[in-house]
Each structure stands twice: as C-alpha cells, then as structure tokens.
Amino acid sequence: MLRVYLDHAATTPVRPEVVEEMLPYFTEKFGNPSSIYRIGWENRSVLDDARDRIAAQLAADSSEIIFTSGGSEADNLAIKGYALANQKRGKHIITTSVEHHAVLDTAKYMEKLGFEVTFLPVDEYGLVSPKQLAEAIRPDTILVSIMYANNEVGTIMPIKELAKVAREARVAFHTDAVQAGGSLSLDVQDLGVDMLSLSAHKFYGPKGVGLLYVRKGIRLDPLIHGGGQERRRRAGTENVPGIVGMAKALELANAEREENMRRITALRDKLILGLRDRIPEIKLNGHPTQRLPNNVNISIKYIEGESLLLNLDMKGIAASSGSACTSGSLEPSHVLLAMGVPHEIAHGSLRLTLGRETTEEEIDYVLAELPPIVEKLRAMSPLYQE
Amino acid sequence: MYSEKVMEHFMNPRHVGEISDADGVGTEGNPVCGDIMRIYLKVDEEDKITDIKFKTFGCGAAIATSDMVCEMVLGKTLDEAMQVTNAVVAEALDGLPPNKMHCSNLAADALHKAIEDLKSRRQKRKAESS
Ligand SMILES: Cc1ncc(COP(=O)(O)O)c(C=O)c1O
C-alpha cells in the first residue's frame, strides 16, 4: 500500500539537509550562547549568523527578528506584546473571523483584559477587503492582525493592500504568515507589514521554533521575562539547533520556491479537477485562484469528515477535515462557518495539502481511492438521495 | 483512538440499509455536532425483531454504535430491545473515547424512537379499525 501524506498544512518532515546542519548543536557544539568561554561565544556567532541569514530572506534587519517557540508564541507576542505596550494610545484591535486559534483566542483573551476587538467577517472565499478594514479602523485602533494565507482553505489575503490601509491610518499591522512560509514571498518591505509570524515546521524545518519579525520602532512588552535574550524581548536560552535548522530550511524553501510552487500548483489543479470529474456534488472551499499552491479543500455533501479521514487512513492517505469530530470541539470549522458554508456541509470538508515530495503517482492514487470511499459512506448516509 | 471493535463495525458494518416496508422508523440526531442516525425495523407476531437496518451520517463512533445496536437487538423482543441503552452499546464496543460518549452515542435512542414509532402506528391502526 502506498503511504500518501497530504497534510503539509499541519506539519512537514524536516529535510535531511536541515537535520544535518542542526545535529552538531545537540552534541559537541552544545554551548550556551550567553556564556563567555569559547564553546559559548562560538554559538553566539552561530546564532548571529542564523539571524542574518533569516533576516536576509525576509528583507529585514537582523535586529528585527525575535526567535520564538513557534507560530503560536509569535502570534501571542505580536498581539499581547503590542497591545500591552501601546494601550495608552487606544484599546481597539482589529482581526478577522478566520484566523488561526493562536490569533483568534489571543484576541478573545485581550477582550478579557479590557481591550475591544473587531472580528471582521469574510466573504464566501474567506477574504476581507481593504475597504472593510478602512471602515473598521477607529481613532482608538492600535493594531490590526490579519493572516497572510488561511491554514484551512488556503485563501491568500491581499496583505499588501491591507497593510497599506493600516499604515495610512497609523495603525500597526501584524500578519500571521505561518502558512505562507515557503509558499509565498516573505519580503516584509514589499508587503509593508510591521510584524510577521513564521513557524519552521511548516517549511521543512523543526517543530517548536519560529519567529516574529518586528519592524524597527515598534514597541512590544515581552511575554516571557527572565534573561536578556532576544534584546530583552523574549527571555530564555536560545534553541540553537532549532534556529540553525530554521535558517537552513527557510533558505532552501525560498531558493526552490518558484519551481516548487509551479510543480505543486499543477498537481493541486489536477487533484481538484480529477475530484470534480469523479465525485458528484462536491464544492471547492476557498478562492479558486487566490489560494495557496498546495491547498485543496472540498466539501463532500452528505458525508462526515471523520469517517472520511478514517477510511482514507486505511488506504494509507493522511489528510484533515473541518468536521466537528476532528476540530476538537463540537462545532465544525469556524473558518468554513465564517465563509457561510452550512453546518452539514462544513462537516463533510476534506483538506488535502500537498508538499515538495508529493508525486503525480500519489495524486493518481488519491483520485482512485477516494471516490469508492465517498460512495460507500454516501450509501450509509440518511441525507443522501433525500 | 478507537477500539478494534469500533473500527471493525465502522469499516465493515453489517446492517446498513433501509427497509421499505418497515414497521417502525426512528431518527435521532445531535443538532450541535450534526450526527444523524436512522433505524428501520421489522417484527414478527411475537414482537421479535426480524430485520433491522440503519443509515447514519456521522463520525466513526456514530456509525459503529449504529451497527452495534442493530446487531445487539436482532432476534430480540421489543421489550428486550427497550432495555438496551447507549452505555450498553458503548460497552459492547469495548468503550468509546470520552469525547464521543455524548455526541455520537445515540444509536439506542434512535432504536427506542423506532420502537415508539412502531407502537404508535399500531395504536393508530387499532383506533382506525375499532
Ligand atoms: C496560520 C497558523 N498560525 C499559527 C500556527 C501555529 O504554529 P505553531 O504550531 O508553530 O505554534 C499554525 C499552525 O498550525 C498556523 O497554521
């Protein structure tokens, strides 16, 4: 049986080149970068070098990179850190209803702390418009946080235009670019963002390491107090192997980005068209073209996502769904619901996210295996043929 | 996350289908998570269940409990079938994950609704003939 991993939006395998670069920092080069003897200060240079390499990939300055434990911490730092440091100027924050929970739940927490949050609604494709944002900005708005690309449906937000609206209103703009890493341009000058979150494990780097880009002049309160690491904005002995791995992974991803994306987009479109041909009554969720090159998200009417995933797993196919049973709550995906997808159709959503190692053979395998599974589950469904 | 028994009933359910001339039909659903289970049954003169089928929209647990409840009551009397509870069904499947105990463990409720439907149809017929 073929093993087909189509959940690259959840995480990716670490590339061997990345592992190789990381390995010495677990063992012989284990020093603490803050120590003054050789094995310590040598790692200070290693850390500085990794920071320079990453900054170069983002067209940022090295001093603008804060290393974190991943995407969630970067999002938390951007929102809590900025809001707390700037609350004298106002207590209004704007975000969207389709953010990852790392942003959404942080924003809800800020409400508890006395901030006011506007959750912008999205259209049927999961988009917010610059006009919507402009209308939501108030005199007391201090921060806007809008994701670059959606982790469930792959919709790419018009970040450049949105950031411009915020800049003109003198409001700070953060983007959760976790899903964009490795797929889209991360040039912060071109995007015009003030803060940007990344997580290494989404672009073939290790888990548990990420970063927040913070434009010079932006003030943040730290979330983690302690040592003076990361220019006093994030205490804690640096994850040297992880950071070195992230630097390597980001360089590789960006170097191969265009070629990879061309190949993956073609496979994605083959998969979407093939599913449409083979399975009646399915709907593509998200934007038809303004979407991540690797994202396929379809709703399959009359069936429920978890049973679909279990059947796919039996065939060696790893995928994900926005159904209530797999979301960890009783509700189906908040993203699909925000896009106006009806409850029962949100339950039948299937997300297949391709990666750099995905082959055409694997896509053909899915196209062969999925239709009979759908047929079997529809035959069991009381909603079918009603 | 599921027991082997759950997976077996989920992957190879033996009682999927509809009964066009059923004596009773019962539907139970969870409006929040969206599961829907429908049970069709037929009985003989002694009120023994001679045929039972289900159709279910839902997760692995929803489908497995539907199949299991059918298996447990086939050949039993209606009174015996009324004794089967959701908890008994879950136990027969070697348990369900805790988060599934409430939302997807409704098959016995659907069965009981089918039995009530059968009884109310009977009463209606009795009323009509007298
Ligand atoms: C859009 C988005 N933001 C944030 C995160 C959280 O990243 P991490 O798992 O590194 O904390 C993820 C990953 O699941 C994501 O997809």
Side-chain angles (χ1 to χ4, degrees):
Chain A
M1 187 173 67
L2 219 51
R3 292 252 154 227
V4 182
Y5 181 75
L6 289 177
D7 203 15
H8 291 84
T11 194
T12 57
V14 184
R15 292 176 67 153
E17 308 96 303
V18 170
V19 175
E20 200 184 323
E21 194 143 329
M22 290 171 69
L23 282 178
Y25 300 98
F26 288 106
T27 50
E28 72 265 30
K29 300 181 179 178
F30 66 90
N32 187 326
S34 301
S35 303
I36 61 162
Y37 39 81
R38 172 176 290 271
I39 193 179
W41 61 252
E42 273 180 352
N43 272 2
R44 166 67 50 201
S45 325
V46 167
L47 203 59
D48 289 346
D49 176 59
R51 199 186 303 276
D52 292 345
R53 288 159 68 193
I54 287 171
Q57 294 300 318
L58 306 184
D61 188 82
S62 300
S63 66
E64 298 175 311
I65 306 295
I66 303 178
F67 293 127
T68 68
S69 66
S72 299
E73 188 192 327
D75 288 343
N76 273 263
L77 178 58
I79 296 170
K80 292 178 188 163
Y82 189 85
L84 293 176
N86 294 276
Q87 53 186 322
K88 283 211 186 85
R89 295 181 20 238
K91 295 187 108 180
H92 181 231
I93 299 168
I94 300 172
T95 184
T96 80
S97 48
V98 294
E99 298 297 312
H100 187 273
H101 283 290
V103 167
L104 214 51
D105 292 359
T106 303
K108 288 180 185 158
Y109 179 68
M110 296 319 289
E111 288 184 318
K112 277 205 210 162
L113 294 188
F115 287 79
E116 240 188 284
V117 182
T118 299
F119 296 91
L120 294 174
V122 295
D123 68 8
E124 61 181 307
Y125 301 120
L127 285 170
V128 294
S129 69
K131 184 164 169 283
Q132 248 181 304
L133 176 60
E135 286 167 4
I137 292 179
R138 315 189 312 211
D140 61 338
T141 306
I142 53 169
L143 174 66
V144 175
S145 177
I146 299 181
M147 71 200 314
Y148 194 167
N150 188 272
N151 48 300
E152 291 189 31
V153 296
T155 298
I156 301 169
M157 296 278 194
I159 287 300
K160 239 165 124 163
E161 291 73 22
L162 293 163
K164 188 158 169 270
V165 169
R167 192 166 59 248
E168 282 167 1
R170 297 178 174 279
V171 173
F173 190 94
H174 164 249
T175 189
D176 175 345
V178 168
Q179 289 292 331
S183 295
L184 305 175
S185 163
L186 299 173
D187 181 327
V188 293
Q189 306 312 334
D190 182 51
L191 290 169
V193 297
D194 298 309
M195 292 183 276
L196 177 143
S197 306
L198 280 180
S199 179
H201 74 97
K202 308 287 185 178
F203 49 84
Y204 306 90
K207 292 168 185 59
V209 58
L211 67 87
L212 182 67
Y213 156 78
V214 184
R215 188 177 292 280
K216 270 194 191 117
I218 295 277
R219 282 199 313 123
L220 286 186
D221 275 3
L223 300 187
I224 301 178
H225 298 86
Q229 292 92 350
E230 301 301 293
R231 304 171 145 250
R232 305 202 158 275
R233 291 176 298 184
R234 202 280 188 184
T237 302
E238 301 86 346
N239 175 1
V240 177
I243 290 165
V244 167
M246 174 160 66
K248 180 73 175 177
L250 190 58
E251 282 176 345
L252 289 170
N254 277 346
E256 299 167 3
R257 186 165 67 86
E258 285 182 16
E259 187 194 327
N260 253 323
M261 291 310 122
R262 210 172 306 122
R263 194 185 71 83
I264 290 175
T265 304
L267 288 179
R268 174 198 75 186
D269 292 342
K270 173 174 177 165
L271 181 55
I272 293 173
L273 291 175
L275 291 173
R276 277 201 175 132
D277 277 350
R278 288 167 180 78
I279 307 173
E281 299 197 74
I282 64 172
K283 175 183 172 289
L284 183 70
N285 294 314
H287 198 279
T289 53
Q290 209 171 312
R291 74 188 297 132
L292 285 175
N294 72 338
N295 177 292
V296 177
N297 188 310
I298 53 168
S299 277
I300 306 179
K301 273 187 161 177
Y302 315 119
I303 62 179
E304 188 278 330
E306 188 202 90
S307 15
L308 195 57
L309 296 188
L310 290 171
N311 273 283
L312 285 169
D313 187 33
M314 290 286 172
K315 297 288 181 188
I317 301 168
S320 95
S321 165
S323 92
C325 294
T326 56
S327 71
S329 69
L330 276 177
E331 284 279 314
S333 145
H334 68 282
V335 174
L336 295 175
L337 295 183
M339 288 161 55
V341 175
H343 253 74
E344 71 276 14
I345 295 178
H347 280 300
S349 77
L350 174 68
R351 181 186 73 177
L352 301 160
T353 42
L354 288 62
R356 56 186 296 276
E357 73 282 26
T358 304
T359 63
E360 182 150 18
E361 185 196 4
E362 292 179 337
I363 297 302
D364 289 332
Y365 180 70
V366 173
L367 287 173
E369 295 296 340
L370 186 53
I373 293 173
V374 170
E375 225 165 277
K376 172 185 161 188
L377 289 171
R378 279 184 173 169
M380 280 190 216
S381 171
L383 302 175
Y384 194 46
Q385 285 174 344
E386 269 192 355
Chain B
M1 90 182 200
Y2 285 133
S3 70
E4 259 175 58
K5 250 199 181 140
V6 170
M7 286 309 289
E8 168 58 22
H9 280 272
F10 166 65
M11 288 304 290
N12 305 301
R14 298 163 195 80
H15 304 278
V16 178
E18 293 174 27
I19 303 175
S20 53
D21 58 341
D23 296 319
V25 181
T27 303
E28 184 60 276
N30 180 326
V32 185
C33 80
D35 286 357
I36 301 171
M37 309 179 178
R38 184 168 300 156
I39 300 241
Y40 302 80
L41 55 80
K42 266 186 100 58
V43 293
D44 63 12
E45 316 78 60
E46 277 139 37
D47 268 358
K48 265 214 184 99
I49 298 173
T50 55
D51 197 7
I52 182 161
K53 294 264 188 296
F54 78 90
K55 283 224 163 167
T56 290
F57 168 89
C59 63
I63 289 171
T65 51
S66 303
D67 196 51
M68 183 46 112
V69 86
C70 292
E71 185 139 316
M72 289 174 78
V73 302
L74 183 61
K76 298 266 164 59
T77 66
L78 291 181
D79 287 341
E80 287 167 328
M82 284 305 284
Q83 306 299 312
V84 174
T85 62
N86 292 330
V88 172
V89 175
E91 204 173 308
L93 286 165
D94 296 338
L96 290 173
N99 61 330
K100 299 284 183 182
M101 282 304 280
H102 297 294
C103 65
S104 308
N105 190 16
L106 302 166
D109 298 343
L111 168 70
H112 298 162
K113 280 198 169 169
I115 295 173
E116 280 160 26
D117 176 53
L118 176 151
K119 289 183 174 162
S120 79
R121 286 192 203 188
R122 248 185 213 165
Q123 258 172 4
K124 230 192 251 161
R125 266 202 305 276
K126 228 190 247 166
E128 278 164 11
S129 62
S130 64

